[in-house]
């Protein structure tokens, strides 16, 4: 009986630490990477704002070639989106929410499975001589689980390399003659 009381007290204390401690962890995250591309902003913009092109260079598209994609809406326009379903990649969708042609594309990224989550994605394009600098940013709010995950590994360290790989592929695709 005494062991059971001690066990229950320990469980309650751990649960309290989990939730109360979570209140002191960062509420938001932001990850960004940039790359310079020797291609006109019009081409780079089309490779980002048309999901038929986006899926050819996006690092996550390459991770699970069995993932199914459904692209809808008019490319480069608000409302253009793609939905994915896959064993490795789970389920989610990305939708363009705002565009400034050849300058910026804003998107909502919704993860459905295995965990629900929302993120904001922004691609900023800046002319650099004859080329284009692209900055890819993803930001959002942590839920209680992701707050604690980030105690051990930050969002930047979890997805930053994927951003770098994706931008390298965007550069290669955009610079092809």
């Amino acid at each position: 009986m005494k062991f059971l009381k001690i066990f229950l007290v320990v469980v309650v204390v751990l649960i309290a630490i989990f939730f109360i401690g979570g209140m002191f962890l960062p509420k938001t995250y932001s990850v960004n990477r940039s790359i310079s591309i020797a291609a006109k902003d019009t081409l780079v913009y089309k490779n980002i704002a048309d999901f038929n092109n986006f899926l050819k260079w996006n690092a996550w598209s390459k991770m699970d070639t069995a993932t199914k994609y459904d692209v809808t809406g008019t490319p480069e326009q608000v409302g253009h989106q793609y939905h994915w379903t896959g064993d490795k990649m789970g389920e989610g969708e990305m939708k363009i929410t705002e565009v400034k042609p050849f300058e910026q594309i804003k998107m909502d990224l919704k993860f459905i499975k295995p965990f629900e989550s929302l993120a904001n994605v922004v691609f900023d394009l800046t002319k650099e001589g004859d080329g284009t600098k692209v900055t890819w940013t993803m930001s959002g709010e942590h839920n209680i689980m992701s707050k604690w995950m980030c105690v051990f590994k930050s969002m930047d360290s979890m997805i930053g390399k994927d951003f770098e790989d994706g931008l390298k592929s965007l550069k290669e695709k955009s610079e092809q003659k």
Side-chain angles (χ1 to χ4, degrees), residues 24 31 92 120:
F24 297 100
V31 177
N120 299 309

Side-chain angles (χ1 to χ4, degrees), residues 29 93 107-112 115-121 138-143 155:
Y29 65 88
E93 59 190 25
M107 306 171 186
D108 281 345
L109 175 58
K110 180 179 181 182
F111 297 98
I112 300 168
F115 303 105
E116 285 192 31
S117 172
L118 296 174
N120 299 309
V121 175
M138 185 171 97
S139 59
E141 292 187 11
H142 284 295
N143 61 31
M155 285 294 282

Side-chain angles (χ1 to χ4, degrees), residues 64-122:
D64 182 5
T65 56
T67 297
K68 304 289 184 229
Y69 297 96
D70 182 31
V71 178
T72 59
T74 304
E76 303 175 40
Q77 300 296 314
V78 171
H80 182 49
Q81 72 175 27
Y82 78 95
H83 180 270
W84 74 87
T85 307
D87 291 336
K88 293 180 188 173
M89 301 306 295
E91 182 181 2
E93 59 190 25
M94 183 178 264
K95 181 192 301 189
I96 295 177
T97 57
E98 187 178 325
V99 293
K100 292 180 187 170
F102 319 118
E103 293 178 22
Q104 186 178 70
I105 306 116
K106 291 186 179 182
M107 306 171 186
D108 281 345
L109 175 58
K110 180 179 181 182
F111 297 98
I112 300 168
K113 290 180 184 174
F115 303 105
E116 285 192 31
S117 172
L118 296 174
N120 299 309
V121 175
V122 179

Side-chain angles (χ1 to χ4, degrees), residues 53-63 82 94 136 162 165-166 169-170:
N53 293 330
F54 182 88
L55 292 170
K56 293 176 184 172
W57 61 263
N58 176 344
W60 292 285
S61 302
K62 296 176 182 182
M63 288 180 192
Y82 78 95
M94 183 178 264
W136 183 2
D162 298 329
D165 291 344
S169 291
L170 172 62

